[in-house]
Amino acid sequence: MVAIAPKARADSPSSQEYQVKAAFLYNFLQFVDWSEEKSADSNKPITIGIIGKDPFGNAFEPIKDKKVKGRSVIIKRFKSFEELKKSTGKDKPELGREIEALTKCHLLFICSSEQENLKEIINSVRDHNVLTVGETEGFLESGGIINCFVEENKIRFEINISAAERAKLEIRSQLLRLAKRIVEKDASQENKGAESSG
Amino acid sequence: MPLKKTKERNHPGRQGKLIMPVFRNMTIKHKLISIIMLACIAGLVLAGVAFISWEWSTFRNNMVQNVSTQAEMIAENCKAALAFKDAEDTKKTLSALHVEPSIVFGGVYTKDNKLFATYYRDYAEIKVQPNELQSSGFSFNAGFLNVFKPIVLDGEVIGMVCIRSDMSPMYAMLKRNISVIIAVLFLSSFVAFLVSSQLQKVISRPILSLAKVAKDVSEKKDYSTRAIKHSNDEIGLLIDAFNEMLEQIQQRNLELVDAKEKLEVRVKERTAELTCANEQLTQEITERKKVEEELRKAEEKYRTQFEGALDAIVVADVKTGIIIDCNPAATRLVGREKSELIGKPQRILYPPEKIEGEFSKTFKQHLKGKQGQTLETQVITKTGGIKDVAIKANLLEIEGKKLLQGIFRDITENKKAEQRQAQLLKQLEKINQELEDFAYIVSHDLKAPLRGIKTVAEWISTDYADKLDDNGKEQMKLLVGRVDRMHNLIDGILQYSRVGRVEEEKVVVNLNELVTEVVDLIAPPENITITVENELPVIKCEKTRITQVFQNLLSNAVKYMDKPQGRIKVGCVEENSFWKFSVADNGPGIEEKHFEKIFQLFQTLTPRDEFESTGIGLTIIKKIVEMYGGKTWVQSKVGSGSTFFFTLPKTLSATDKEKQLLTASSRNASAP
């Protein structure tokens, strides 16, 4: 009882931040429209994927039964990309399966732990109608769509419109109006260039 | 409290009372002006009020609509900002309210009613407190309109927009409208006054002139004046009617004077009639009182008789048999108190065997047409004693109720006496029978030795005639004579006792023939004549008995005849339901003191030796006649003769058919 387990972080101040972030993820779902392929069947749940070292703890507990656009929401957690790569063998069929799972998500939250593999993750889902949300500096520049950050003790977010367009996502003006910064440069081309050069 | 209540209640009444007399005492002119003015003002006020209230409500609705639209827009616009908790952006959205000058405050509240972002117009900080918040709709409060709209995101309320609008511009407009309407009101009232005070003359003038004429007529009593007609409307009609009325009044006045005179005469007549009727009534009342007094006395008398009667009187209801009343004798009869009888059914007076159903047998009989008759029955006393009673009952009707009044006489003693009498009579009959039997046996048995004595005495007289001297012969003759007398005596007794003991067959007898036969049998001496005075009836009887009667009477008359020329007459007259037969002679007659004695057994008035007589004959006659239900008696005067009478009932007379048979048979008998 005295020992502070990693899970106990959920009640710490940092976890309050993630409670707000969890609510933000749900709110993003409200103001973003997916292409027909992912929004056609209203019986299917909306999937939120979390990749990397999960910082939310039990932040989803109070809102997990909430419905968005009349659909229930499920949270799927993925191992960190590094780990995924290590665990799978040469053929990497498992990795392929995992990546396919990632592309099935509506929203993919990329934890700060994945800073290293950020580009790789974003590239693997960017053409699959997935809203990528991150919390690392330069997330938009890496091709991510929405990036959350803390300013004056408040959680703010910025949006990359070009990335959204590429992912065939429509972000509503109401959401756009609230974004602190809007990036219109298509980072993917740049990234591609960087990747090929690197 | 009650005082206040009455005040409240009186108030409207008093007001009405105050206004109405004031209005009533106004002249027609003023009345007309007032009516027109009142109607005008009322109409204007009503129109003004309607206009203002309609405008007010329209204005208000518009305002609510307007502000609601604003609130709706704000709610829509700050949806995302609230979701992402962006107060800055929300405030920006709210600032759009600036375009509407009447909006003084706008606020966005979070789900838990915390103020999230606000907008204030430059003056005065007016805040809507969380407790004023409503989920939706609007409210008017202290000159402000508050409109609330929920902020809904994906079907979920995430907050609330509140907009407060100042109403003062609206009030200003309202004031302006009211003052305009009041001004119009005053102006139009003034115009209405001017118009009405001119127009009213059209109506009031003819009425006033009519009123003047009416006043003149009533003051001067001059019914010959007439009002002048100005127009052909209702007032013209009124004036016509008034003139017509005046004319009629004139005529009626004359008639009235005439009628009054007639009436006075009639009143006098009626008064006289009434006085007369009154006197009659007084007389009637006096008579009625007298009758009532008599009635009361009669009732008192009845009561006294009822209470004091020796016989028990019980009055019972015909339908129910309940005893209504009874007298003290009744309580004595059954040994019960009055209270034990009244209200009880009358059957309690009777023993069970005299009761049939609900009532006593006699009660039913009396009701079934035997009322007024006396019926014998028994009553039972309280202690169970039985008493014989005779009840006479009558139906009464008192106050519509049918009652049966029964008078009970206690005949227990009478019954006992009757029984005793019957017993005695029976005894007597038995003794009598025994005596008669005795007499018969004795006389019958005595006759045989007597005959023996006589035979012996006659033998001695013939066989010893030569041996007896004259004295002896004389003695023997005397002996035979005495024996004969003894024989006759016994015969007589026998005959007497046979009467009533031995019954003979009854035959039809012609008494005329019978008397003739008896006279032949007696063979009277020549100096005595027996005549039948008139026709004797034909009767049906025991022939020997009737023969005996006539034989005894006639032989007595012959036997005692002391006159050289004896006359005996037989007669018969009808007397009521009897034949009265008589046998009259001119013999020695009988002293009155012996009239009874001669009919008794063994009584003769003369010494035995002078006439051969047993003294039984008349006794037998008496017995026979009485057996037929007749009587015997004698009328006599000493020295000039006596008449014996006896009667026989006419019931003995033979029918015509029997008479015919008789004559036929006698003819046959006499034919050969």
Side-chain angles (χ1 to χ4, degrees):
Chain A
M1 285 296 166
V2 182
I4 296 165
K7 268 187 185 172
R9 279 208 312 188
D11 299 327
S12 64
S14 74
S15 104
Q16 213 165 20
E17 181 195 325
Y18 281 96
Q19 271 178 10
V20 175
K21 275 188 181 164
F24 268 40
L25 293 188
Y26 269 74
N27 284 338
F28 288 145
L29 299 178
Q30 308 266 14
F31 293 99
V32 174
D33 292 322
W34 277 263
S35 70
E36 220 166 281
E37 172 192 347
K38 280 202 178 174
S39 59
D41 196 350
S42 63
N43 286 333
K44 275 191 180 167
I46 294 176
T47 319
I48 295 178
I50 297 168
I51 187 160
K53 197 177 169 196
D54 183 5
F56 288 98
N58 57 2
F60 284 107
E61 276 303 302
I63 49 173
K64 67 174 182 191
D65 292 330
K66 210 171 122 177
K67 287 196 168 180
V68 174
K69 292 176 183 169
R71 301 165 75 173
S72 52
V73 178
I74 53 167
I75 314 286
K76 260 189 182 166
R77 290 187 171 81
F78 297 93
K79 287 175 194 167
S80 95
F81 206 68
E82 198 68 33
E83 238 176 293
L84 256 163
K85 278 198 278 184
K86 273 182 204 163
S87 62
T88 53
K90 290 267 179 205
D91 314 343
K92 296 180 184 176
E94 200 178 328
L95 180 67
R97 266 207 309 277
E98 282 295 307
I99 285 168
E100 204 187 330
L102 285 177
T103 62
K104 289 274 192 300
C105 287
H106 290 80
L107 188 150
L108 183 65
F109 185 82
I110 303 161
C111 300
S112 47
S113 63
E114 301 302 301
Q115 201 158 9
E116 298 295 314
N117 301 307
L118 200 56
K119 280 190 180 167
E120 220 170 330
I121 297 169
I122 289 171
N123 282 339
S124 60
V125 298
R126 67 177 181 190
D127 294 326
H128 292 281
N129 204 212
V130 176
L131 178 67
T132 48
V133 181
E135 49 176 355
T136 43
E137 222 170 306
F139 183 72
L140 297 191
E141 284 68 24
S142 307
I145 299 168
I146 296 175
N147 183 38
C148 296
F149 59 95
V150 176
E151 185 189 83
E152 292 168 356
N153 244 347
K154 280 179 183 161
I155 309 226
R156 303 291 189 197
F157 55 89
E158 47 192 9
I159 299 172
N160 185 339
I161 290 182
S162 310
E165 272 169 11
R166 188 192 174 104
K168 290 180 205 121
L169 290 165
E170 273 180 40
I171 297 176
R172 294 195 191 164
S173 65
Q174 285 157 311
L175 188 64
L176 290 174
R177 213 178 71 171
L178 295 175
K180 282 292 127 187
R181 188 166 69 101
I182 291 173
V183 177
E184 288 190 44
K185 185 180 84 184
D186 191 355
S188 59
Q189 294 303 321
E190 195 184 309
N191 288 349
K192 251 184 188 169
E195 199 180 10
S196 54
S197 65
Chain B
M1 263 325 253
L3 197 83
K4 201 180 166 190
K5 257 189 183 172
T6 49
K7 252 188 184 171
E8 278 172 2
R9 206 174 291 159
N10 283 342
H11 196 60
R14 201 188 295 151
Q15 217 172 25
K17 271 178 196 166
L18 273 173
I19 288 170
M20 286 320 285
V22 168
F23 193 74
R24 224 177 277 145
N25 294 335
M26 281 199 277
T27 59
I28 291 253
K29 181 183 160 189
H30 289 139
K31 266 183 203 167
L32 282 169
I33 294 172
S34 318
I35 289 168
I36 294 165
M37 295 281 289
L38 274 174
C40 253
I41 292 168
L44 279 170
V45 166
L46 209 68
V49 167
F51 174 69
I52 288 170
S53 39
W54 181 77
E55 203 182 19
W56 171 257
S57 86
T58 314
F59 201 89
R60 230 173 68 144
N61 287 346
N62 284 347
M63 195 164 171
V64 170
Q65 193 82 42
N66 202 8
V67 178
S68 294
T69 313
Q70 303 258 8
E72 199 108 32
M73 274 162 64
I74 299 288
E76 191 59 36
N77 287 342
C78 62
K79 201 190 276 182
L82 189 64
F84 292 103
K85 308 228 180 293
D86 194 335
E88 281 298 311
D89 189 69
T90 312
K91 206 165 180 176
K92 228 185 272 169
T93 313
L94 278 172
S95 66
L97 291 172
H98 184 73
V99 294
E100 186 61 63
S102 68
I103 292 173
V104 293
F105 166 79
V108 172
Y109 297 81
T110 56
K111 208 160 52 176
D112 43 0
N113 289 345
K114 273 184 193 141
L115 200 54
F116 181 66
T118 50
Y119 156 78
Y120 297 112
R121 194 150 207 93
D122 33 58
Y123 65 92
E125 252 194 33
I126 305 154
K127 227 167 134 181
V128 175
Q129 296 304 320
N131 57 5
E132 290 177 62
L133 288 175
Q134 294 182 354
S135 60
S136 176
F138 59 90
S139 71
F140 289 95
N141 190 3
F144 294 104
L145 164 68
N146 299 320
V147 174
F148 304 93
K149 281 286 166 204
I151 302 169
V152 182
L153 176 61
D154 196 34
E156 189 194 355
V157 177
I158 58 168
M160 176 76 71
V161 174
C162 171
I163 294 175
R164 171 168 284 198
S165 177
D166 188 3
M167 305 265 285
S168 48
M170 196 172 137
Y171 284 127
M173 205 185 87
L174 190 71
K175 260 185 208 162
R176 203 181 61 233
N177 284 352
I178 289 173
S179 44
V180 166
I181 282 169
I182 287 171
V184 168
L185 194 70
F186 274 107
L187 201 71
S188 50
S189 306
F190 180 66
V191 172
F193 177 73
L194 287 180
V195 171
S196 63
S197 53
Q198 286 307 308
L199 288 181
Q200 56 83 24
K201 285 176 189 162
V202 176
I203 295 166
S204 65
R205 197 177 287 150
I207 293 178
L208 287 175
S209 81
L210 181 65
K212 193 168 173 293
V213 172
K215 202 181 170 195
D216 283 356
V217 167
S218 69
E219 272 174 3
K220 293 173 190 161
K221 307 281 177 223
D222 180 6
Y223 298 110
S224 56
T225 35
R226 295 287 180 269
I228 301 145
K229 190 175 170 185
H230 293 281
S231 56
N232 275 326
D233 57 359
E234 283 88 344
I235 293 166
L237 216 72
L238 187 69
I239 287 165
D240 277 347
F242 182 74
N243 286 341
E244 172 82 28
M245 200 175 73
L246 279 178
E247 195 144 328
Q248 279 186 9
I249 288 171
Q250 227 174 340
Q251 195 149 2
R252 286 280 162 83
N253 238 354
L254 288 174
E255 282 171 15
L256 207 65
V257 173
D258 193 35
K260 200 182 164 193
E261 278 167 12
K262 278 184 191 164
L263 195 70
E264 268 171 16
V265 176
R266 187 110 181 82
V267 164
K268 269 181 194 164
E269 276 174 15
R270 288 293 291 163
T271 314
E273 275 172 25
L274 271 172
T275 317
C276 185
N278 220 6
E279 271 168 21
Q280 271 181 6
L281 202 68
T282 318
Q283 211 169 339
E284 267 172 30
I285 289 169
T286 322
E287 268 170 31
R288 180 168 288 188
K289 271 187 185 165
K290 219 160 103 188
V291 169
E292 273 172 8
E293 178 65 19
E294 273 167 16
L295 209 65
R296 199 180 56 76
K297 272 185 186 164
E299 201 178 319
E300 227 168 61
K301 200 172 154 193
Y302 168 77
R303 255 292 129 186
T304 321
Q305 281 178 355
F306 182 79
E307 294 295 333
L310 284 173
D311 290 329
I313 302 173
V314 175
V315 182
D317 193 300
V318 165
K319 270 187 193 158
T320 59
I322 299 294
I323 297 173
I324 306 293
D325 199 0
C326 67
N327 66 347
T331 63
R332 284 196 295 277
L333 179 70
V334 294
R336 289 176 196 264
E337 292 297 314
K338 205 170 178 177
S339 59
E340 288 177 275
L341 292 171
I342 290 173
K344 301 280 170 14
Q346 55 81 239
R347 63 171 185 272
I348 65 155
L349 296 172
Y350 300 88
E353 66 269 19
K354 300 292 182 191
I355 295 170
E356 203 176 277
E358 288 291 304
F359 308 103
S360 72
K361 287 176 184 171
T362 48
F363 191 79
K364 282 186 171 175
Q365 286 167 352
H366 276 130
L367 286 180
K368 271 185 205 154
K370 289 212 169 181
Q371 56 160 307
Q373 294 188 24
T374 306
L375 300 172
E376 283 185 14
T377 183
Q378 286 177 326
V379 293
I380 189 162
T381 64
K382 192 181 181 184
T383 51
I386 301 291
K387 283 182 179 175
D388 288 300
V389 287
I391 307 174
K392 188 176 179 179
N394 295 79
L395 268 178
L396 307 172
E397 197 167 326
I398 297 172
E399 291 162 8
K401 262 189 184 173
K402 278 195 172 177
L403 304 171
L404 191 70
Q405 174 178 272
I407 302 170
F408 294 60
R409 177 161 288 178
D410 191 344
I411 54 163
T412 315
E413 290 304 318
N414 294 15
K415 280 262 165 177
K416 273 183 195 164
E418 259 174 36
Q419 273 172 9
R420 249 199 318 274
Q421 210 174 5
Q423 217 169 351
L424 279 175
L425 211 67
K426 223 173 178 183
Q427 272 178 2
L428 208 66
E429 267 173 14
K430 202 177 158 199
I431 291 167
N432 227 9
Q433 188 65 40
E434 278 170 2
L435 205 68
E436 274 177 8
D437 289 351
F438 174 73
Y440 178 79
I441 292 159
V442 165
S443 47
H444 193 265
D445 290 356
L446 282 176
K447 260 169 92 175
L450 207 61
R451 210 172 287 127
I453 293 168
K454 196 188 172 181
T455 315
V456 171
E458 274 170 355
W459 282 349
I460 293 170
S461 305
T462 36
D463 292 355
Y464 295 93
D466 47 341
K467 285 172 189 164
L468 285 174
D469 57 1
D470 284 350
N471 195 24
K473 280 176 186 170
E474 188 62 23
Q475 296 283 352
M476 280 309 288
K477 210 175 162 186
L478 211 62
L479 177 70
V480 172
R482 290 284 198 272
V483 169
D484 275 344
R485 194 191 290 172
M486 181 81 169
H487 189 261
N488 285 342
L489 205 61
I490 289 166
D491 254 359
I493 290 169
L494 231 127
Q495 273 177 18
Y496 179 79
S497 70
R498 195 177 280 139
V499 175
R501 225 168 60 89
V502 182
E503 266 193 35
E504 250 182 83
E505 198 200 343
K506 283 184 180 174
V507 291
V508 179
V509 179
N510 188 336
L511 289 181
N512 297 301
E513 284 171 15
L514 185 133
V515 170
T516 315
E517 274 170 31
V518 169
V519 172
D520 284 349
L521 201 74
I522 294 169
E526 279 179 12
N527 64 326
I528 295 170
T529 53
I530 298 173
T531 54
V532 176
E533 291 287 293
N534 41 18
E535 180 85 13
L536 299 177
V538 178
I539 59 168
K540 205 177 175 195
C541 61
E542 291 153 297
K543 195 181 176 181
T544 35
R545 297 243 163 96
I546 295 300
T547 311
Q548 216 165 7
V549 171
F550 280 102
Q551 194 177 353
N552 285 2
L553 281 173
L554 288 172
S555 62
N556 271 357
V558 171
K559 198 191 281 175
Y560 295 107
M561 182 55 73
D562 59 344
K563 301 292 183 324
Q565 287 297 314
R567 283 191 302 278
I568 299 165
K569 293 172 192 164
V570 177
C572 175
V573 289
E574 285 184 33
E575 207 175 79
N576 299 326
S577 55
F578 289 92
W579 284 298
K580 189 170 89 176
F581 295 93
S582 58
V583 177
D585 62 59
N586 57 345
I590 303 160
E591 278 182 68
E592 203 176 334
K593 61 177 179 186
H594 299 307
F595 281 1
E596 291 287 317
K597 201 180 161 188
I598 55 168
F599 289 103
Q600 288 168 10
L601 200 59
F602 304 130
Q603 295 292 331
T604 56
L605 299 180
T606 47
R608 284 279 148 87
D609 297 329
E610 200 175 323
F611 293 102
E612 203 51 49
S613 168
T614 54
I616 292 172
L618 281 174
T619 317
I620 291 173
I621 291 168
K622 192 172 183 249
K623 195 172 175 183
I624 291 167
V625 169
E626 280 176 4
M627 209 178 68
Y628 282 113
K631 280 196 303 184
T632 50
W633 71 98
V634 66
Q635 278 179 1
S636 181
K637 206 174 172 188
V638 177
S640 57
S642 29
T643 309
F644 284 87
F645 294 98
F646 69 93
T647 60
L648 286 174
K650 279 184 185 172
T651 49
L652 292 175
S653 50
T655 59
D656 290 342
K657 201 178 172 188
E658 284 166 340
K659 280 178 196 171
Q660 279 174 2
L661 280 172
L662 181 76
T663 46
S665 66
S666 62
R667 244 184 243 142
N668 290 344
S670 59

